[in-house]
Amino acid sequence: LAGDLDVELGVGQATILAPREAVRSVGVDVGIGDDSVRTNGHRAHSRGWLGREVKWTEGTGTSRIELSVGVGEGDVNLR
């Protein structure tokens, strides 16, 4: 991964796989549905039903990932 990645999806499921060492931060925003960020066997996710957002800012890389889903599921998996 070189550079930032911004993904917007109206309805459905989006899963992004990226190398952990390349990523500085991740933001996942889901209007209605589920969100998560997985890294090193750990999963961060938000609670609630509407307007869910999870952030991860522990990376040492240079890339930023932003995923926005209106209705559905948004997952970022850093390996």
Side-chain angles (χ1 to χ4, degrees):
L1 180 65
D4 295 338
L5 177 64
D6 291 299
V7 177
E8 293 186 22
L9 175 66
V11 177
Q13 179 179 354
T15 300
I16 297 172
L17 304 175
R20 186 180 196 274
E21 64 273 2
V23 179
R24 177 183 73 242
S25 65
V26 175
V28 180
D29 178 22
V30 176
I32 298 174
D34 294 321
D35 60 7
S36 70
V37 175
R38 299 171 194 266
T39 180
N40 289 344
H42 300 288
R43 179 176 179 246
H45 60 94
S46 62
R47 298 183 186 270
W49 190 64
L50 293 172
R52 300 169 63 131
E53 182 176 14
V54 63
K55 296 256 185 222
W56 178 82
T57 58
E58 301 173 17
T60 58
T62 59
S63 298
R64 176 186 54 82
I65 297 174
E66 292 291 330
L67 172 59
S68 178
V69 178
V71 177
E73 185 174 332
D75 297 298
V76 176
N77 192 340
L78 303 177
R79 298 182 176 183

